Amino acid sequence: MTNVDPLWFKDAVFYELHVKAFCDSNDDGIGDFRGLIQKLDYLEWLGVTCLWLLPFFPSPLRDDGYDVSDYRGVFPDYGSLDDLRTFLQEAHRRGIRVIADLVLNHTSDQHPWFQEARRSPESPLRSFYVWSDSEKKYGKARIIFIDTERSNWTWDPVAKQYYWHRFFSHQPDLNYDNPELRKAMLEVMAFWLDQGLDGFRCDAVPYLIEREGTICENLSETHEYLKDLRKWIDERYQGRILLAEANQWPADVRPYFGDNNECHMAFHFPLMPRLFMGVRSEDWHPIVDMFTHTPAIPDECQWCLFLRNHDELTLEMCSGEERDYMYYAYARDPQMRRNIGIARRLAPLLENDRRKIELLNSLVFTLPGSPIIYYGDEIGMGDNVHLGDRNGVRTPMQWNVDRNAGFSKADPSKLYLPVITDSIYGYQTTNVEAQLQTPYSLAHWMKSMIAIRKKHPAFGRGTIEFLRPRNDKVLVYLRQYRDETLLMVQNLGGSAQAVELDLVKFAGAVPVELFGETRFPSIGDRPYMLSLAPYGYYWFKLRQAPSEETAYGIEGSVI
Ligand code: NOJ
Ligand code: CA
């Protein structure tokens, strides 16, 4: 990679995808690495700089690959290890980094470790897992997959003991009190880093270690272990990152950064539903309040901000009242609900309102952190709430109007999941090819937004200061880094709004709107007035020391 800045992830634009869902090169109905290689030009065109690959390891696929049965292989339908290496080279050649899931907390019950562990109490592998004679142990731990699981313990008739699992009962948790297991996982990490991966999205990290009398989440022993991982990685692999999946309140996520000696990044889970609440209630308070509850993180670390991902839109980090509101606002049909959340894609959540789609993307691209796009959301793909589990948001990428959305030439009945065919989001209407040919399509707009973000380091590295205007519908903040000041003004309301801003400390500066490079009237010593269209947003750079030119955007035009 040419960009060797170890803090590259602070300026990155992430893109999450599943190999099986992207492009099928051999027409067996399942996407593969060779197909993904063919589509790298598209991702380069879009401008994303780091891909997050969902699990591609051998697996019985009862949790879409998060049930790993071999940590050192590639699921054969997705290709070979060689294909993966070629893919990594091709991505790197285009300046695109790649991270992958590291499923630390559990394996599939089909993993040979578990198979041996359950069969022989004498085997050293027995204590790779967490066993008990009683299902009463660790009784304070909550159940996460409430739709399917009744207990965190499952009786194994072969082992004649219960085994511990925080997720599906076919996913036994690994025992991080065992130094041999820790060593084995380091070897797994080394294996993938040696292939050229740029880091890991560390799955389910809060649950690594359990202790009686606690809720078995975020324990100090877990943090000690992550510090060991980080030290190990820093000593051997410069510039590779750990991104924590810790679906917790900000105060509980903060320790996952440590003193820049645990994870480099962590998802900001509680912010996500508040972005949706903010736009639905036309009120900036839920968003700003979440930041007042977000502790500062070390300078070298970064939040990862997202709107949607491959799971349900989780409402775990919401009060009961907030949850009710979110279900009422976004999932009135019970078919749309999964566990504690909503299994829908971005465009249908926002009723395919282009203005709201742009606005929400504008928020995740300008609030502090690095944004992540879920594949297909950049073209406004839809979902299928009738598919089981979270499959409704995992359907094939829609490339064009050809058979199977151009994803695969296989017989449609062979596809790993059916393509979306409804009249609004179906591939005949919503597809990459059509959007590439339409200059004002969502995909083109996403590309411009990404390009603008990449030009201004303050987005990834700057401080944030919220201006609290009297108009509750207009969210306003400043991002500052070195000599750059950016001003974001976003209308969460569905009607035109005016707002008065106190920008006196910038008197003399000229706001330049970044999408059009348009100069606005300079800031004086009176309140700065702006009006915004419904769901409108401005990204301004404040240009200090204005030059002699005083032309505004409209001057020089023939009217
Ligand atoms: C978190 C992953 O995002 C989710 O898809 C998976 O089901 C659970 N971890 C369990 O592995
Ligand atoms: Ca294939």
Side-chain angles (χ1 to χ4, degrees), residues 16 52 54-55 63-67 101 103 105-106 144-145 166-168 171 201 203-204 207 245 269 309-312 389-390 394:
E16 174 192 0
W52 156 25
L54 288 159
D63 183 15
D64 208 8
Y66 281 100
D67 45 336
D101 261 286
V103 190
N105 182 65
H106 47 263
I144 298 170
F145 282 173
R166 290 310 299 271
F167 296 94
F168 288 121
Q171 283 168 319
R201 178 251 191 203
D203 186 59
Y207 318 107
E245 189 225 6
F269 275 95
N309 62 22
H310 64 290
D311 288 327
E312 67 275 21
D389 197 353
R390 292 145 291 174
R394 298 173 177 179

Side-chain angles (χ1 to χ4, degrees), residues 1-3 13 17 22 33-51 83-98 198 447 450 454:
M1 295 291 301
T2 42
N3 174 5
V13 176
L17 69 90
F22 218 57
F33 277 107
R34 291 183 182 206
L36 179 54
I37 293 170
Q38 292 167 21
K39 297 301 183 185
L40 278 170
D41 286 347
Y42 164 70
L43 295 171
E44 186 182 11
W45 172 85
L46 190 60
V48 296
T49 58
C50 185
L51 307 182
D83 293 339
L84 172 114
R85 284 193 206 105
T86 315
F87 156 72
L88 286 175
Q89 279 163 12
E90 286 296 311
H92 287 162
R93 194 164 66 74
R94 291 168 171 82
I96 299 177
R97 287 186 163 83
V98 183
D198 296 289
K447 175 185 164 67
I450 293 169
K454 290 202 292 198

